[in-house]
Amino acid sequence: MSNDDKSSNNVELENIGRRKFFGKTAILGAGVVAAPMTAAMFASTAKANAAEYSKNKAFVHPGDLDEYYGFWSGGQSGEVRIMGIPSMRELMRIPVFNIDSATGWGLTNESKRIKGDSANIMVGDTHHPHMSMTDGRYNGKYVFINDKSNTRVARIRCDVMKTDKMLTVPNTQAIHGLRVQKVPYTKYIVCNGEFEVPIVNDGKASLEDVSTYRSIYNVIDAETMEMAFQVIVDGNLDNTDADYDGKYFASTCYNSEMGMSLGEMITSERDHVVVFSLARCEAAVKAGKFKTYNGNNVPVLDGRKGSQLTRYIPVPKSPHGLNTSPNGEYFIANGKLSPTVSIISIKKLDALFADEIKPRDTIIAEPELGLGPLHTAFDNKGNAYTTLFLDSQIAKWNVQDAIDAHNGKKVNYIRQKLDVHYQPGHNHTTMGETRDADGKWLVSLCKFSKDRFLPVGPLRPENDQLIDISGDEMKIVHDGPAFAEPHDCMMVHRTKMKPLKLWPRTDPMFAETIAIAKRDGVDVYSENKIIRDGKKVRVYMTSIAPTYGMTEFKVKLGDEVTVIVTNLDKVEDVTHGFCMTDHGAQMEIGPQATASITFMANKPGVYWYYCNWFCHALHMEMRGRMLVEA
Ligand code: RUQ
Ligand code: CUA
């Protein structure tokens, strides 16, 4: 898959002058408009712009709020971002697998406890953010996200928009596709261990004999964030989704050949979609029909071909996205190398598991859409929107018409093909992965932006394009540059969300820190104290804008210093920071929260600590001194 011919390495400005915007700028720049702009002219231009903008439904006026929250994966940045839709304004970043200089995520003791056994890993590769559901509808509680690069899954609490759980998935490698159980509620998160590895991976397997290599489907308890069970499958698992009946999960698989090189991976004409029966898997775990590996006690079921736990539905080779239609009728497997998508009838899966029909009998249409179909999104009118990576287009098509055409009716199921810029991967509609699909907005996450923005050097932003799908025709209304690399997103109506304004003092995020303070005999809400515990020193201080409760303290060279700050401000939006200069320690302390950070006092001298979140007119004065005694 290469860039199309619109691509060029030439980034000279005159080359993009063909674009309208640059055309106007060039005229101004050349001095053709000799008279200076007057204030009145500025005002009338501003008015005209405002009038034009307000015709665009995507324009959210200053001071107005967006209708939807968007949760965006941050790709290889390892984070999740919150967007406002339709403005496409970035509202917040939620550090997850990365470390974050602003908030201290990955550096504070509280975040390290949440990261647990992977606290020393500073990188992540997030792909698929999905929200917990009740009866097939977003419930505003959690967003789950995978880390492909370090085989992890994390949970974000939507009341505070912070990561609160992280799990390293055992026995497998590279968590890719991830979804939630939709019905009756999100009891499980399901995710794909994409890469096949020796099932006992202790260094004794070889690179030549791959007979013990397995790809594994992972089922995680959403509430405890512990492994429920795993299922061994044939082929490399790619993307996954759940039905609306609470019975089946399905995943696309490529490389059914179990090849180890690109050529070997794409030799056979067909790969498959593997369907998992949740009830049969749970019963097998209960009945003890599992094994354990690698010294952990996670039940591993065998779901390879021939197993009663799974069924394998052949589809054209190397399928990619797997999407459930919001009416609960279809799993759609996107062809990638094939110009088609395969529509699997979920109704027919009971008969398939009862061996009454053949796997291919569940496929009720394979409409041809264009080159490189990767992912499909849905509206509430029976239409589907499929990204075409190679064609740089979105195909809007009608699902029932595609089925009718498959059955011989003369009908054109393609409604529209829209150029997007360029090479889209995922796309997503507002509420489109739930029963509440509303057919208002579609976002196309384009992998290349090329000429759409000012050139910024060899590394370019992605282009997240907002498309109005409320009418008969899709219309692009916004180009949104995005840094590495939103693979996927989801958009939830703001009425589903209830974020907090202040931290509850009893919040589990810092409960352990407060428990340690109690053992030290310190009330963090009223006391400023230093506790020495051998070479370990704990410095407790409060903060109220614009002062810390403690403005000087002394430690000895070689001490391990933990500073614990409790923000006593009860004012919405008054976050303080704590930064110890020249010690690599900085963090955020939200209103009513307690946060702590540990560093070594290994340089003698006087060091200022200061508040690094602008909190008050006297914010610059919010500081104190640490003396490290030689
Ligand atoms: S994948 S571009 Cu990581 Cu979701 Cu399809
Ligand atoms: Cu506290 Cu700035």
Side-chain angles (χ1 to χ4, degrees):
M1 296 181 191
S2 64
N3 297 5
D4 65 23
D5 56 12
K6 290 163 194 147
S7 154
S8 159
N9 268 329
N10 194 338
V11 294
E12 290 162 29
L13 274 176
E14 53 265 38
N15 272 7
I16 22 184
R18 63 192 159 81
R19 294 181 58 226
K20 260 192 213 149
F21 173 79
F22 284 100
K24 280 181 197 157
T25 319
I27 292 169
L28 284 169
V32 173
V33 180
M37 289 275 277
T38 63
M41 284 163 80
F42 271 119
S44 74
T45 315
K47 239 188 215 163
N49 284 344
E52 201 174 299
Y53 273 132
S54 52
K55 269 188 264 154
N56 179 349
K57 277 185 278 171
F59 186 70
V60 177
H61 288 264
D64 284 355
L65 303 181
D66 281 289
E67 191 175 355
Y68 300 88
Y69 286 85
F71 289 88
W72 254 235
S73 103
Q76 63 275 39
S77 77
E79 64 188 10
V80 165
R81 298 167 194 153
I82 309 177
M83 306 288 285
I85 311 296
S87 73
M88 301 292 279
R89 298 180 292 200
E90 186 182 284
L91 305 180
M92 186 43 67
R93 295 181 174 196
I94 307 171
V96 185
F97 303 108
N98 54 325
I99 55 162
D100 182 53
S101 174
T103 59
W105 184 262
L107 305 170
T108 64
N109 296 309
E110 294 69 37
S111 59
K112 283 180 174 172
R113 277 177 210 128
I114 286 163
K115 291 180 79 179
D117 62 0
S118 66
N120 60 338
I121 296 178
M122 309 299 187
V123 297
D125 181 17
T126 65
H127 286 232
H128 302 112
H130 290 287
M131 181 174 278
S132 52
M133 298 189 198
T134 304
D135 191 30
R137 302 188 147 93
Y138 291 138
N139 63 19
K141 218 172 160 191
Y142 301 124
V143 167
F144 302 93
I145 183 86
N146 71 302
D147 169 20
K148 179 166 171 176
S149 67
N150 297 285
T151 317
R152 289 178 291 180
V153 174
R155 183 173 82 182
I156 291 161
R157 253 174 63 192
C158 294
D159 58 346
V160 290
M161 301 295 188
K162 298 280 188 195
T163 307
D164 86 317
K165 292 272 188 191
M166 198 173 288
L167 167 72
T168 305
V169 180
N171 301 331
T172 191
Q173 242 168 57
I175 298 298
H176 186 231
L178 174 148
R179 293 274 183 168
V180 303
Q181 183 180 359
K182 299 177 202 271
V183 172
Y185 69 100
T186 300
K187 179 177 182 196
Y188 297 123
I189 316 151
V190 290
C191 56
N192 291 330
E194 180 179 341
F195 298 155
E196 67 283 18
V197 283
I199 185 74
V200 178
N201 205 5
D202 59 359
K204 291 186 189 123
S206 77
L207 294 177
E208 289 76 34
D209 174 12
V210 298
S211 61
T212 64
Y213 286 32
R214 303 279 181 263
S215 184
I216 290 187
Y217 196 62
N218 306 287
V219 182
I220 298 166
D221 185 305
E223 212 43 61
T224 63
M225 283 295 283
E226 284 167 11
M227 294 302 302
F229 57 89
Q230 296 179 306
V231 189
I232 293 174
V233 301
D234 284 313
N236 283 171
L237 291 155
D238 195 351
N239 281 291
T240 188
D241 206 345
D243 68 3
Y244 283 85
D245 307 300
K247 286 158 83 173
Y248 301 112
F249 302 116
S251 290
T252 45
C253 289
Y254 66 99
N255 190 23
S256 50
E257 305 88 341
M258 276 290 127
M260 296 294 128
S261 68
L262 173 62
E264 291 166 2
M265 288 182 195
I266 56 173
T267 47
S268 55
E269 271 317 301
R270 283 197 165 155
D271 285 307
H272 49 251
V273 168
V274 55
V275 182
F276 302 85
S277 159
L278 178 56
R280 288 188 185 187
C281 288
E282 283 184 320
V285 172
K286 246 197 189 148
K289 291 183 193 155
F290 60 80
K291 290 189 179 156
T292 59
Y293 298 95
N294 300 305
N296 59 68
N297 58 4
V298 179
V300 182
L301 303 167
D302 190 346
R304 285 177 292 166
K305 282 181 186 158
S307 156
Q308 286 309 301
L309 309 176
T310 53
R311 288 293 181 270
Y312 287 77
I313 302 173
V315 294
K317 71 175 159 194
S318 297
H320 184 60
L322 194 290
N323 304 90
T324 313
S325 62
N327 62 6
E329 301 236 0
Y330 317 112
F331 285 138
I332 293 186
N334 297 259
K336 191 168 80 181
L337 298 190
S338 158
T340 60
V341 298
S342 303
I343 307 179
I344 297 168
S345 166
I346 292 174
K347 267 188 217 144
K348 295 193 172 190
L349 294 177
D350 285 352
L352 177 63
F353 272 86
D355 294 324
E356 292 160 13
I357 56 172
K358 294 243 157 57
R360 281 290 296 177
D361 296 341
T362 61
I363 294 191
I364 52 173
E366 261 174 355
E368 195 169 322
L369 302 175
L371 297 182
L374 288 187
H375 294 277
T376 296
F378 305 90
D379 65 17
N380 53 351
K381 301 172 205 92
N383 300 309
Y385 302 79
T386 301
T387 51
L388 303 172
F389 183 85
L390 296 175
D391 283 342
S392 280
Q393 286 184 318
I394 297 219
K396 175 181 176 180
W397 54 285
N398 184 275
V399 182
Q400 189 56 50
D401 282 359
I403 297 167
D404 290 347
H406 184 84
N407 293 330
K409 203 168 148 190
K410 287 237 158 352
V411 54
N412 183 6
Y413 48 82
I414 302 278
R415 292 289 186 270
Q416 185 193 354
K417 285 194 181 180
L418 176 73
D419 288 343
V420 291
H421 312 88
Y422 302 90
Q423 271 96 17
H426 275 271
N427 63 355
H428 218 282
T429 50
T430 41
M431 309 293 275
E433 60 173 358
T434 75
R435 291 192 204 280
D436 298 322
D438 63 14
K440 284 198 177 165
W441 300 105
L442 173 71
V443 166
S444 173
L445 300 174
C446 301
K447 301 290 187 192
F448 296 86
S449 61
K450 298 181 184 176
D451 56 2
R452 300 293 281 194
F453 305 113
L454 282 172
V456 287
L459 178 65
R460 310 287 179 86
E462 315 276 293
N463 188 7
D464 301 347
Q465 291 191 298
L466 182 71
I467 299 163
D468 180 354
I469 55 165
S470 60
D472 285 338
E473 252 187 57
M474 299 183 273
K475 286 194 185 113
I476 293 179
V477 295
H478 187 93
D479 269 12
F483 180 59
E485 171 173 305
H487 287 262
D488 192 10
C489 65
M490 43 111 1
M491 290 172 280
V492 52
H493 198 267
R494 65 186 187 191
T495 52
K496 301 275 182 186
M497 308 295 293
K498 300 211 168 35
L500 297 173
K501 293 181 173 167
L502 304 173
W503 285 88
R505 285 187 169 183
T506 52
D507 199 280
M509 200 68 76
F510 39 82
E512 193 167 333
T513 303
I514 292 190
I516 295 169
K518 279 207 178 120
R519 287 203 289 279
D520 281 341
V522 176
D523 174 6
V524 297
Y525 302 107
S526 61
E527 292 180 287
N528 293 281
K529 252 190 193 171
I530 299 180
I531 305 291
R532 177 168 284 279
D533 173 3
K535 295 283 281 172
K536 294 184 181 190
V537 180
R538 288 185 284 281
V539 182
Y540 292 93
M541 64 176 83
T542 56
S543 68
I544 299 186
T547 52
Y548 292 115
M550 188 185 289
T551 52
E552 54 181 62
F553 67 86
K554 289 183 206 169
V555 296
K556 295 199 172 66
L557 190 65
D559 282 345
E560 180 197 281
V561 183
T562 300
V563 175
I564 305 100
V565 184
T566 299
N567 182 349
L568 298 182
D569 274 303
K570 281 193 187 124
V571 185
E572 206 181 302
D573 200 13
V574 176
T575 291
H576 294 291
F578 177 87
C579 175
M580 181 61 77
T581 49
D582 299 342
H583 282 78
Q586 64 184 37
M587 63 177 175
E588 157 219 3
I589 312 109
Q592 294 289 299
T594 298
S596 69
I597 195 157
T598 301
F599 55 87
M600 294 302 297
N602 49 18
K603 290 174 282 193
V606 171
Y607 297 93
W608 283 96
Y609 50 94
Y610 69 99
C611 174
N612 57 337
W613 284 76
F614 210 109
C615 56
H616 191 275
L618 293 172
H619 155 81
M620 301 306 289
E621 288 79 357
M622 186 167 174
R623 55 192 172 119
R625 285 170 302 159
M626 168 178 77
L627 172 63
V628 180
E629 293 175 320

